[in-house]
Amino acid sequence: MITETSGDFFETLPVFEHFEGVSDPGNYKPLPDDWVLATADIVDSTLAIKAGRYKAVNMAGVSVISALLNVLDRKNYPFVFGGDGALVALPAFTVPLAREALAAVQSWVADELQLNLRAALVPMRDIRAEGLDVRVARFRVSPDVSYAMFAGGGASWAEAQMKAGAYAIEPAPSGTRPDLTGLSCRWNPIEARNGEIVSIIAVPGPSGAGKEFQTLVGDIIAVTAEQSRGAHPLPAEGPPINLLIKGVDAEARATAPAGKRISRKLAIIGQIILTFLLDRLGLTAGGFDPRRYKIELSQNSDFRKFDDGLKMTIDIDGQRSHRIEMLLENAAKAGIVQYGLHRQDAALITCFVPTPRAHDHIHFIDGAMGGYAMAASNLKAKMT
């Protein structure tokens, strides 16, 4: 018999397929009491982004998800990518392996990316003792991929505790490498087609996540729905295939030790060239169809989510962008919402592709010039 505590919690959740469902409390189910939240983020990510290191910051955030899912045999646990960090909900029996993976990925981020990643494991029982909750919904973006949506305030509390130094995971010794198989960063930034790429974070204001906040979320989604494909920042046919040297280097650092890095880079470059030729010629090889893969990449992307608030990185025209900002500003004056946004001219893709022949590869979208981290900084500035 499958139970919530057996680790199959996420797979047993009902699925909704229209993003408007993120504002429906009926789509969410509480995490089991014996679960934990693995949470991590980059210290001083805003400074790193201002120094032009936004790609490294994104890579570090996705590495947390990659390391945990790999060490746990890619079990379908709920997770969310936050731009400069990530959150993964896990059953208690995974804690020893999760602790090792988080410690290893902290070491790898320091060694290879020269960034400081902090991490924590926060028990659900402690979150509920604070009068908060973590409720999870399952949003299906394609026939093969569903993303977790989080509500209840508990995830935000866990992140705040981590930043205060509670529940901290100590990094492993320098040189320790996590299993980052599938972590990939091969795509060039995707330029806006509708006007601009806008990263938005909207969280409940002093009045809380009540019906007024839910209505606001629905109103914002309705504006984006007027734009082609819901303001999706990737074209329906997927992004163009190009050789990105920085991406090759980052992927090689993730998937090979120093002594094998040159051969790994050559292998990655060879894969990109082969994929480019197959795409141009309309051919397949070994069951891999690059045109289908690119379409799935677009479908499987997480450009919008709910993580104790609405988060979106969208490609939208100026008129609709202004309408969304006015909705947010008026709601902020009424105490319904607190928000931050950041505009840029392109979106960034970081990928987790355990095998390109499968259809469940997942792709994380952020703004190419700071995205969520800069929107969060904007939000923080408004709150002080």
Side-chain angles (χ1 to χ4, degrees):
M1 179 180 177
I2 296 176
T3 66
E4 289 183 349
T5 55
S6 70
D8 296 310
F9 166 80
F10 190 61
E11 295 173 0
T12 64
L13 290 179
V15 173
F16 67 96
E17 298 183 350
H18 299 287
F19 189 67
E20 294 85 345
V22 298
S23 62
D24 181 357
N27 285 326
Y28 293 81
K29 190 174 182 181
L31 273 179
D33 272 342
D34 62 345
W35 279 45
V36 299
L37 296 186
T39 184
D41 77 346
I42 294 296
V43 179
D44 293 329
S45 60
T46 303
L47 292 178
I49 288 166
K50 288 180 178 178
R53 306 204 62 217
Y54 45 87
K55 202 167 190 65
V57 168
N58 273 196
M59 194 82 167
V62 178
S63 73
V64 174
I65 297 170
S66 174
L68 287 169
L69 296 189
N70 281 337
V71 78
L72 300 172
D73 296 324
R74 304 190 183 102
K75 186 71 176 177
N76 196 13
Y77 295 125
F79 61 80
V80 65
F81 167 64
D84 64 347
L87 172 79
V88 185
L90 300 167
F93 68 83
T94 69
V95 165
L97 285 176
R99 187 179 299 276
E100 290 181 13
L102 288 171
V105 80
Q106 285 177 285
S107 174
W108 177 81
V109 167
D111 290 344
E112 300 293 350
L113 303 179
Q114 291 76 52
L115 294 170
N116 180 12
L117 180 76
R118 59 190 160 200
L121 286 167
V122 185
M124 275 304 305
R125 288 191 175 93
D126 289 5
I127 292 170
R128 290 197 169 112
E130 294 293 321
L132 301 168
D133 202 359
V134 177
R135 300 190 301 276
V136 181
R138 188 179 177 194
F139 172 48
R140 178 175 289 162
V141 296
S142 75
D144 301 290
V145 172
S146 296
Y147 285 108
M149 307 288 118
F150 290 84
S156 297
W157 183 83
E159 181 183 2
Q161 291 299 301
M162 173 191 66
K163 290 181 177 180
Y167 307 100
I169 304 296
E170 292 300 318
S174 179
T176 306
R177 294 184 60 85
D179 180 359
L180 298 178
T181 302
L183 183 60
S184 171
C185 201
R186 300 180 181 182
W187 301 97
N188 281 323
I190 308 301
E191 293 184 0
R193 305 179 310 282
N194 297 322
E196 58 188 358
I197 302 294
V198 185
S199 296
I200 299 168
I201 299 176
V203 299
S207 60
K211 288 192 177 300
E212 290 180 319
F213 181 75
Q214 294 167 19
T215 298
L216 172 66
V217 169
D219 290 344
I220 293 170
I221 295 170
V223 176
T224 64
E226 297 173 7
Q227 196 83 67
S228 173
R229 301 182 63 242
H232 198 309
L234 303 187
E237 68 276 13
I241 298 171
N242 295 299
L243 180 62
L244 181 62
I245 297 300
K246 287 185 179 180
V248 171
D249 180 70
E251 183 175 341
R253 288 176 178 271
T255 55
K260 299 181 179 179
R261 205 155 285 165
I262 292 177
S263 60
R264 180 58 184 151
K265 287 182 182 180
L266 292 173
I268 294 169
I269 291 170
Q271 291 170 7
I272 294 173
I273 292 172
L274 176 60
T275 302
F276 175 82
L277 293 173
L278 292 173
D279 183 52
R280 283 296 181 93
L281 297 172
L283 301 175
T284 63
F288 174 67
D289 181 343
R291 293 186 178 181
R292 179 175 180 179
Y293 176 84
K294 291 196 303 174
I295 291 171
E296 290 173 345
L297 187 158
S298 183
Q299 293 174 340
N300 293 357
S301 297
D302 78 330
F303 75 101
R304 52 189 181 178
K305 63 198 82 177
F306 198 90
D307 178 20
D308 279 343
L310 182 67
K311 295 182 178 180
M312 315 176 87
T313 291
I314 52 177
D315 180 357
I316 198 159
D317 63 36
Q319 185 263 345
R320 291 183 176 90
S321 176
H322 177 73
R323 284 168 57 196
I324 289 173
E325 188 166 8
M326 288 301 97
L327 284 170
L328 289 166
E329 187 62 27
N330 291 335
K333 291 176 181 177
I336 297 168
V337 71
Q338 295 172 315
Y339 77 95
L341 56 81
H342 183 66
R343 293 183 169 89
Q344 53 249 291
D345 58 10
L348 196 65
I349 313 171
T350 308
C351 309
F352 179 48
V353 187
T355 169
R357 292 184 182 87
H359 305 300
D360 59 352
H361 44 96
I362 53 181
H363 306 273
F364 303 99
I365 306 296
D366 199 2
M369 295 299 291
Y372 291 125
M374 296 304 292
S377 178
N378 178 260
L379 168 61
K380 184 177 179 181
K382 290 179 179 180
M383 295 172 65
T384 57

